[in-house]
């Protein structure tokens, strides 16, 4: 624990060797906590001098805070900014303020699970009226289930394994398949793939759409043309440079998100290569690029609006079965 700051729930969790959600249940005097675990947590609370945020206790049971939490992965990604704008439009019209939080990435570029657990713990403690979340891929430790017991929650972009709930999705597989088919229709057969985690919900669906289009066209997938686990535009640029340096380079590159597309475009432009880029997600100023690019795009603002509407309905008492909304994807071509 850093000197000069009060201890947090995360500090207590680390000291006691339990999860942040367990600490939250103990400090909020909830039932169904193992007595030994409760005693361990209480000992850590005393040892560290932890003081819970009492602001939530000033609310009467059932009283609202007029606050919605929006949890995204990357605040620097334009998708997050536009998503938040759509959420704010609906939230403001319904009398809610939006609290924006980011899970970020850890030292190796993966989703920061520790940070996400800390955020969920804080949301459990702060009693927001509802939560919109771009989640991880599963709920193995029950953090989303615990949060859903406290407040309505709507997931965006993916539904974690093991969870039932409202979700707003993109047509990831369908959009990727159509984008790859467009490249195939333009005569390309050596199509590279530059992407992030192919095991994640979104990444897996976009990769599956890419593969499905190749199979349908009778085109063999070339392993030497696949570059996964890229987490930034710089990494995508380096990966694309490697592809362009192959004895038989690709004639087109499929990029599974906007960061990948920007990196690939930089590599192709600097190499003056005759290569077409196909990217999932919008890219700012794509229409003025001199390089050829095709994009599978959608409206992130509309994604935010639709997710926020679902959440407001839940906060207003809707008991409808879990709903799944899919936002359509459209194709656009730019350049020569």
């Amino acid at each position: 624990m850093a000197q000069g700051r009060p201890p947090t729930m995360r500090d207590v969790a680390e000291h006691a060797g339990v999860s942040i959600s367990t600490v939250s249940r103990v400090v909020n005097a909830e039932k169904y906590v193992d007595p030994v675990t409760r005693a361990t947590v209480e000992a850590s609370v005393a040892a560290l001098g932890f003081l819970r945020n009492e602001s939530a206790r000033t609310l009467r049971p059932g009283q609202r805070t007029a606050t919605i939490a929006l949890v995204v992965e990357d605040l620097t990604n334009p998708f997050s900014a536009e998503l938040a704008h759509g959420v704010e439009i609906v939230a403001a019209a319904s009398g809610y303020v939006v609290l924006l939080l980011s899970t970020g990435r850890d030292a190796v570029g993966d989703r920061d699970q520790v940070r996400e657990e800390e955020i969920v713990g804080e949301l459990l403690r702060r009693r927001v009226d509802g939560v919109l979340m771009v989640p991880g891929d599963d709920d193995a430790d029950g953090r989303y289930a615990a949060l859903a017991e406290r407040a309505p929650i709507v997931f965006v972009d993916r539904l974690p394994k093991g969870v039932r709930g409202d979700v707003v999705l993109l047509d990831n597989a369908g959009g990727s398949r159509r984008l790859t088919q467009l490249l195939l229709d333009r005569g390309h057969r050596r199509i590279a793939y530059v992407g992030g985690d192919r095991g994640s919900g979104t990444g897996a669906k976009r990769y599956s759409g890419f593969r499905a289009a190749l199979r349908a066209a009778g085109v063999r997938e070339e392993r030497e043309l696949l570059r996964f686990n890229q987490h930034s535009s710089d990494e995508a640029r380096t990966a694309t440079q490697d592809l362009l340096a192959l004895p038989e380079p690709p004639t087109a590159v499929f990029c599974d998100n906007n960061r990948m597309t920007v990196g690939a475009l930089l590599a192709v432009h600097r190499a003056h290569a005759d290569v077409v880029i196909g990217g999932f997600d919008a890219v700012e100023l794509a229409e003025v690029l001199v390089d050829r690019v095709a994009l599978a795009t959608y409206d992130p603002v509309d994604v935010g609006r639709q997710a926020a509407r679902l959440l407001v309905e839940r906060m207003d008492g809707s008991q409808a079965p879990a709903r799944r909304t899919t936002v359509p994807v459209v194709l656009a071509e730019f350049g020569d």
Side-chain angles (χ1 to χ4, degrees), residues 35-54:
V36 174
T37 300
R38 185 183 299 277
T40 300
V41 172
E42 290 174 345
S44 294
V45 167
L48 297 178
F50 171 77
L51 295 174
R52 61 166 288 165
N53 185 341
E54 292 296 324

Side-chain angles (χ1 to χ4, degrees), residues 179-191 214 217 219 250-252 276 292 333:
L179 179 59
T180 306
Q181 186 60 55
L182 185 150
L183 298 175
L184 291 164
D185 290 344
R186 299 296 181 269
H188 299 282
R189 291 301 179 266
R190 282 185 64 77
I191 305 175
L214 294 184
V219 175
T251 63
V276 173
R292 291 177 294 165
E333 290 187 84

Side-chain angles (χ1 to χ4, degrees), residues 87-110:
V87 170
E88 285 186 325
I89 292 172
V90 175
S94 303
Y96 291 94
V97 173
V98 179
L99 175 65
L100 181 60
L101 301 164
S102 171
T103 58
R105 294 184 177 274
D106 60 21
V108 297
D110 293 327

Side-chain angles (χ1 to χ4, degrees), residues 74-123:
D74 181 4
L75 287 174
T76 66
N77 193 316
F79 168 80
S80 298
E82 294 186 61
L83 175 74
H85 179 53
V87 170
E88 285 186 325
I89 292 172
V90 175
S94 303
Y96 291 94
V97 173
V98 179
L99 175 65
L100 181 60
L101 301 164
S102 171
T103 58
R105 294 184 177 274
D106 60 21
V108 297
D110 293 327
R111 185 185 183 89
D112 192 335
Q113 300 288 348
V114 174
R115 172 60 179 159
E116 183 176 282
E117 184 179 348
E118 183 178 34
I119 286 173
V120 171
E122 285 297 315
L123 293 177

